[in-house]
Amino acid sequence: MHFTEEQIAFRESVRRMAEKHVAPIAAEIDENDRFPIEIVKLFGEMGLMQLWVPEKYGGPNGNLTMVCIAREEISRFSPACGSIAGLNTMFIMPLLHFGSEEQRQRFLPVLAKTGTVTAIALSEPQAGSDVSAMTTRAVRDGDSYVINGRKQWCSYGCVADYIVLFARTHGERGADGISAFILEPKKMKGITFGRHERKMGWRGAPNTPIFLDNVRVPIENLVGEDGRGFRSSMRALDLNRPTIGAQSVGLAQGALEASLAYAKERQQFNRSIAEFQGIQFMLADMAMQIAAARTLVYECARCGDEGDFDRLPVLASMAKCFASDMAMKVTTDAVQVFGGYGYTKDYPVERMMRDAKLAQIFEGTNQIQRVVIARHLLSGAFTGV
């Protein structure tokens, strides 16, 4: 794993910002489940939300490695705030890879400006891991489409300026026949949101269902070809999953740092608990697991930056799965290091453990990631080198 001088300087600037602006509000955001609008403004001004907008459209011209760096550093304190860095990635990717130049000229300069929030609406109540089972339908009507249905787990959708929504335009089931559309919820009629999901962790990042009642979307908001939207959703997920791995690494790193500080300070039997071999072994295991996950995440990021889309899908699944499983174990061990205090909200590790659990579930459960990895192995598409 090798970072350029530019990437190292970027990492240091994000780290300083996170220590100054994110760390002090992390516990309060979790306690109140508050969407930190001030962080949106700050990240927008720093170019962190819109990292992946190319320079020709007014953006920072970042890449997957830079998004991973930003999310890792911020997630040491709050993965909810970490999600806001590179938040617009899932909206940008379908436009860059499958959209028209007219669409890129229309939307990307807007995203390059500060504070624009976007979202992606893919999952449904009965279509989570099996995206191809979606039933939300878009019917062509003249020079527009009329969309009806429901989406679930839409992160930031209720505060978004734009949403990429996937709906079925042909057939009843399967990957073929799914199309991608750009919604403008603050302008289009028929879009309503349900209550915020009351999550165990990752609080401060709103998730809400979306209800679509005869929503009319102009044909120029169709991204790519009619019925070929599933490809864009998979490409977007492949490029976003490593960033979830990076957040998991940052979260685990924060738990390790808290555990180290506490173990040196906490006294039992007239010495610090850091002097006990049992604690030392736990800390060593935590550090090894974090280092391994970090290496895998940034190897995947390098693969994405180089456009190696043959290896990217399996590496993305590996990075997301391994890093989030690691974060769950490390944060659980951190609670153990803190003992009884680790189980209280007076210390951050119980929050970190709750946050780690979601990373194993969203962006495709870790069971689904293992299915993806196994398919590549069995087909010979991935040999491990």
Side-chain angles (χ1 to χ4, degrees):
M1 182 172 61
H2 174 73
F3 292 138
T4 65
E5 290 185 6
E6 178 187 6
Q7 289 167 342
I8 292 171
F10 174 73
R11 182 182 63 189
E12 293 303 315
S13 68
V14 174
R15 180 173 297 178
R16 290 193 298 269
M17 178 278 299
E19 291 171 344
K20 181 178 180 180
H21 295 283
V22 178
I25 65 172
E28 181 269 321
I29 289 173
D30 175 77
E31 181 70 24
N32 298 315
D33 200 8
R34 178 180 68 85
F35 176 57
I37 190 66
E38 71 273 27
I39 293 296
V40 172
K41 183 175 185 298
L42 174 63
F43 286 12
E45 291 172 350
M46 293 181 65
L48 294 177
M49 290 181 65
Q50 62 273 44
L51 265 172
W52 221 321
V53 177
E55 186 176 11
K56 66 181 289 188
Y57 302 107
N61 203 43
N63 56 23
L64 182 53
T65 297
M66 294 181 71
V67 175
C68 286
I69 289 172
R71 287 197 169 187
E72 178 187 345
E73 292 300 326
I74 299 164
S75 296
R76 287 168 55 218
F77 307 106
S78 169
C81 290
S83 296
I84 299 173
L87 176 63
N88 295 332
T89 297
M90 290 287 280
F91 184 91
I92 293 167
M93 285 301 106
L95 290 181
L96 290 180
H97 291 279
F98 302 98
S100 66
E101 180 59 27
E102 181 182 355
Q103 289 172 334
R104 290 191 280 268
Q105 292 285 353
R106 178 183 168 194
F107 292 107
L108 293 184
V110 177
L111 265 60
K113 298 177 182 178
T114 61
T116 303
V117 178
T118 65
I120 183 168
L122 185 61
S123 295
E124 296 181 2
Q126 302 300 322
S129 298
D130 183 9
V131 175
S132 65
M134 72 172 57
T135 58
T136 295
R137 186 164 292 276
V139 178
R140 180 72 180 269
D141 182 26
D143 58 356
S144 62
Y145 286 83
V146 178
I147 303 178
N148 285 279
R150 173 181 175 176
K151 292 294 178 179
Q152 194 75 18
W153 308 111
C154 185
S155 301
Y156 302 100
C158 60
V159 293
D161 299 288
Y162 303 103
I163 300 173
V164 170
L165 177 136
F166 294 85
R168 184 166 298 285
T169 50
H170 305 287
E172 299 297 327
R173 189 178 176 86
D176 291 338
I178 294 174
S179 301
F181 301 90
I182 296 174
L183 303 188
E184 300 174 63
K186 297 178 181 178
K187 297 180 181 179
M188 295 176 175
K189 296 179 180 180
I191 302 173
T192 56
F193 298 92
R195 74 164 194 183
H196 291 204
E197 299 292 348
R198 297 179 294 175
K199 305 193 299 293
M200 178 174 72
W202 219 283
R203 293 162 60 82
N207 295 89
T208 52
I210 305 177
F211 302 98
L212 304 120
D213 182 14
N214 290 322
V215 179
R216 188 168 291 274
V217 180
I219 193 170
E220 55 265 27
N221 283 30
L222 171 69
V223 181
E225 300 176 41
D226 185 314
R228 302 296 298 277
F230 189 78
R231 290 186 306 151
S232 62
S233 70
M234 292 301 100
R235 177 64 57 82
L237 288 170
D238 287 342
L239 289 164
N240 200 57
R241 280 173 179 152
T243 73
I244 307 305
Q247 287 181 265
S248 299
V249 169
L251 179 59
Q253 183 68 42
L256 173 59
E257 291 168 0
S259 298
L260 285 167
Y262 183 81
K264 292 175 183 178
E265 174 189 304
R266 173 67 168 166
Q267 295 282 321
Q268 288 288 280
F269 305 103
N270 297 318
R271 53 179 172 162
S272 72
I273 64 172
E275 296 182 44
F276 291 99
Q277 193 176 66
I279 297 295
Q280 292 175 356
F281 282 7
M282 291 178 71
L283 296 172
D285 283 343
M286 293 160 76
M288 286 189 290
Q289 292 157 11
I290 292 168
R294 180 179 286 119
T295 300
L296 178 57
V297 164
Y298 286 103
E299 169 62 16
C300 179
R302 183 189 64 80
C303 182
D305 291 337
E306 293 179 356
D308 186 353
F309 296 122
D310 291 329
R311 298 177 70 225
L312 179 63
V314 67
L315 286 178
S317 289
M318 287 180 171
K320 188 270 180 184
C321 183
F322 183 81
S324 57
D325 280 351
M326 175 277 299
M328 191 72 249
K329 184 177 189 310
V330 166
T331 55
T332 301
D333 285 349
V335 171
Q336 193 71 21
V337 170
F338 274 73
Y341 290 113
Y343 203 64
T344 71
K345 292 192 175 184
D346 295 324
Y347 292 88
V349 289
E350 65 85 27
R351 165 169 52 87
M352 292 172 169
M353 186 176 74
R354 290 187 284 108
D355 286 342
K357 186 64 216 175
L358 182 60
Q360 293 181 301
I361 297 171
F362 79 143
E363 293 289 335
T365 66
N366 283 3
Q367 286 73 27
I368 288 295
Q369 305 312 320
R370 287 175 166 87
V371 169
V372 172
I373 295 164
R375 283 177 178 171
H376 279 78
L377 290 172
L378 293 170
S379 69
F382 183 79
T383 61
V385 293

